[in-house]
């Protein structure tokens, strides 16, 4: 074999060897690279049964620094708890159980500020405002709010820390089946925050509602909706108005911005700006909700433009008064001669009297 060929083979062998070494070196380096161990985020405080979780350092650096008086602490359901857990977080608590059961969950208090916070937790019963908005009952709770027990009512949360607070809902033996809405309320430094608690007690449920006190007037229709069942309802409203000459209003079903709690009554209004000025109208409201709830009510009204009627009446009275005045004036002008007639009558009486007097003298 020629020297040139050997040299070529030697060169190829050397290149292959270098390539192989390079590959080995790369593999060795890749094997040595290891991810740093993740720091433990959870430390249990067994005496208080409250878990305190430090917020990640990177997240704390990227997030804005809140002032001590910003009130930026927050309250939220812990992810992954309850009877309907959610890894990405839950907007509210949902718990369900039979009478006599004890349901457990966890609420999170987050303090991203630079000073510690002492937050006081309590339970509250839900209610509706008069116009249907969700609110909390004032005073001491008697329903769901009184069934909530916290591992610790007052929780001290260090700066840039998240506290996980376990709580339980003890459903009484005689609890009525159906929905029992409530809330968890946190208070600190004159600020309140709350999270809804949707509790359903297992058993028969009934969806029922009624429509009452329908009153069309002043360009609107007012009415009451009453939840006669034991479930929370979101009503849908349909409006129809019939006049003397046919339909005046026909609005299809639409969802009302109301979360109607069991046993609650709300007063609502429906605008009707193009109502006729003069007509006899019958207004019918139909309200429905999930679960077969259905209610209908009607009201009749005579629409009269009283302003125009009052103006016409005043005009008629004015004309009548002017007519009476004119008639009396004409009567006075035409009766100038009659005042002499009594004098003629008086003369005749005197003559008769004089004649009678002469006769008596004879």
């Amino acid at each position: 074999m020629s020297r040139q060929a050997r040299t070529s083979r030697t060169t190829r062998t050397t290149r292959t060897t270098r390539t192989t070494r390079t590959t080995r070196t790369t593999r060795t380096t890749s094997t040595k690279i290891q991810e740093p161990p993740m720091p433990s985020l959870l430390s249990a405080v067994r005496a208080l049964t409250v878990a305190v979780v430090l917020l990640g350092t990177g997240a704390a650096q990227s997030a804005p620094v809140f002032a001590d008086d910003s009130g930026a602490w927050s309250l939220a359901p812990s992810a992954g708890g309850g009877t309907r857990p959610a890894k990405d977080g839950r907007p509210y608590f949902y718990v369900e159980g039979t009478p006599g059961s004890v349901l457990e969950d966890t609420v999170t208090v987050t303090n991203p500020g630079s000073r510690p916070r002492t937050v006081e937790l309590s339970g509250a019963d839900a209610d509706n405002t008069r116009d249907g908005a969700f609110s909390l009952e004032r005073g001491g709770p008697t329903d769901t709010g009184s069934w909530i027990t916290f591992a610790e009512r007052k929780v001290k949360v260090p700066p840039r820390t998240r506290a996980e607070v376990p709580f339980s809902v003890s459903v009484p033996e005689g609890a009525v089946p159906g929905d029992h809405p409530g809330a968890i309320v946190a208070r600190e430094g004159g600020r309140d925050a709350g999270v809804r608690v949707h509790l359903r007690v297992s058993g028969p449920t009934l969806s029922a509602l009624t429509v009452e006190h329908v009153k069309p007037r002043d360009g609107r229709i007012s009415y009451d909706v009453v939840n006669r069942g034991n479930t929370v309802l979101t009503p849908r409203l349909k409006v129809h108005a019939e006049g003397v000459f046919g339909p005046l209003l026909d609005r299809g079903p639409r969802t009302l911005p109301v979360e109607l709690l069991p046993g609650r009554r709300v007063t609502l209004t429906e605008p009707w700006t193009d109502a006729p000025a003069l007509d006899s109208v019958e207004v019918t409201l139909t309200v429905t909700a999930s679960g077969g709830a259905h209610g209908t009510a009607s009201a009749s009204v005579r629409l009269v433009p009283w302003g125009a009627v009052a103006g016409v009446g005043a005009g008629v009275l004015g004309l009548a008064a002017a007519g009476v005045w004119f008639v009396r004036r004409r009567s006075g002008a035409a009766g100038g001669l009659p005042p002499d007639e009594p004098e003629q009558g008086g003369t005749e009486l005197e003559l008769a009297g004089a004649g009678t007097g002469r006769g008596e003298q004879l």
Side-chain angles (χ1 to χ4, degrees):
M1 184 178 296
S2 63
R3 183 176 298 177
Q4 184 178 0
R6 289 179 181 177
T7 302
S8 177
R9 289 184 178 181
T10 303
T11 304
R12 291 179 181 176
T13 304
T14 303
R15 290 177 179 175
T16 304
T17 303
R18 290 179 179 177
T19 304
T20 304
R21 288 178 181 174
T22 303
T23 304
R24 288 178 181 175
T25 303
T26 302
R27 289 179 179 175
T28 302
T29 304
S30 176
T31 304
K32 289 182 180 179
I33 295 176
Q34 297 180 355
E35 296 181 358
M38 293 295 293
S40 176
L41 298 179
L42 182 62
S43 59
V45 183
R46 299 179 182 271
L48 301 178
T49 64
V50 176
V52 178
V53 182
L54 294 177
L55 298 178
T57 305
Q61 292 177 353
S62 60
V65 178
F66 295 97
D68 290 345
D69 58 350
S70 64
W73 61 271
S74 61
L75 185 73
S78 300
T83 55
R84 291 185 181 180
K87 295 182 179 179
D88 299 332
R90 298 169 289 168
Y92 54 82
F93 292 102
Y94 182 89
V95 290
E96 182 175 357
T98 59
S101 62
V102 178
L103 311 171
E104 297 181 348
D105 209 321
T106 306
V107 64
T108 300
V109 183
T110 304
N111 177 19
S114 59
R115 68 177 179 87
R117 300 275 185 178
T118 300
V119 178
E120 184 177 359
L121 301 174
S122 62
D125 296 337
D127 197 4
N128 280 122
T129 60
R130 185 171 177 80
D131 59 356
F134 185 92
S135 66
L136 300 179
E137 288 188 353
R138 297 182 177 179
T142 59
D143 198 66
T144 303
S146 64
W147 304 344
I148 300 176
T149 303
F150 299 94
E152 186 69 16
R153 294 184 66 89
K154 289 187 177 181
V155 183
K156 186 174 182 179
V157 188
R160 291 175 289 276
T161 303
R162 183 174 65 246
E164 308 275 356
V165 185
F167 70 92
S168 62
V169 181
S170 302
V171 183
E173 291 287 350
V176 178
D179 293 337
H180 294 259
I184 292 177
V185 180
R187 296 180 176 88
E188 191 273 340
R191 176 174 175 262
D192 296 349
V195 180
R196 296 190 187 188
V197 177
H198 290 266
L199 169 64
R200 169 161 288 191
V201 178
S202 302
T205 58
L206 173 65
S207 298
L209 53 77
T210 58
V211 187
E212 303 173 2
H213 304 157
V214 180
K215 297 178 181 179
R217 61 182 181 183
D218 301 332
R220 59 189 177 91
I221 305 171
S222 63
Y223 59 98
D224 290 356
V225 181
V226 187
N227 188 342
R228 302 291 183 181
N230 60 355
T231 61
V232 178
L233 300 177
T234 302
R236 292 174 58 84
L237 173 67
K238 180 181 179 180
V239 183
H240 182 79
E242 192 79 16
V244 175
F245 300 103
L248 299 174
L249 185 64
D250 193 6
R251 297 177 183 172
R254 66 178 182 87
T255 302
L256 298 175
V258 175
E259 187 177 358
L260 191 57
L261 276 55
R264 304 309 199 272
R265 174 191 296 269
V266 297
T267 300
L268 306 173
T269 58
E270 183 74 8
W272 189 16
T273 57
D274 56 347
L278 179 62
D279 205 340
S280 178
V281 182
E282 182 175 4
V283 178
T284 302
L285 302 185
T286 303
V287 179
T288 58
S290 60
H294 182 277
T296 302
S298 300
S300 298
V301 61
R302 288 182 175 85
L303 302 177
V304 179
W306 293 111
V309 172
V312 172
V316 171
L317 291 177
L319 292 175
V324 170
W325 177 83
F326 181 76
V327 170
R328 287 182 176 180
R329 186 173 182 181
R330 291 292 301 274
S331 299
L337 295 176
D340 296 336
E341 294 179 358
E343 296 179 0
Q344 296 177 357
T347 303
E348 292 177 356
L349 290 175
E350 291 178 1
L351 292 175
T356 301
R358 294 190 186 97
E360 289 178 355
Q361 291 178 1
L362 294 172

